[in-house]
Amino acid sequence: MCLAIPARVVELKDADTAVVDLSGVRKEISLALVQDVAVGDYVIVHVGYALNKLDPDEAEKTLALFAELAASTG
């Protein structure tokens, strides 16, 4: 099973690389597959690549569901 997760862009390294925040964990990812990403945007991340930009409200809802799921299984 593959899982793509929302992450907030916290730093742009260059035209094709950014740092995202994944619930407090920062990870460098590739932006090669998306355009016009800015700091503060949410992107869907899979295996180190941003696949597309995501609406901030939808990203927050999805992250809240992941947190709820983690709390109920942990």
Side-chain angles (χ1 to χ4, degrees), residues 14-18 29-37 48-52:
D14 57 42
D16 288 333
T17 309
I29 64 163
S30 172
L31 298 176
L33 303 175
V34 294
Q35 295 179 357
D36 302 321
V37 175
Y49 285 85
L51 300 179
N52 63 345

Side-chain angles (χ1 to χ4, degrees), residues 8-11 38-42 56:
R8 186 173 55 86
V9 176
V10 295
E11 180 183 348
V39 171
D41 285 346
Y42 282 88

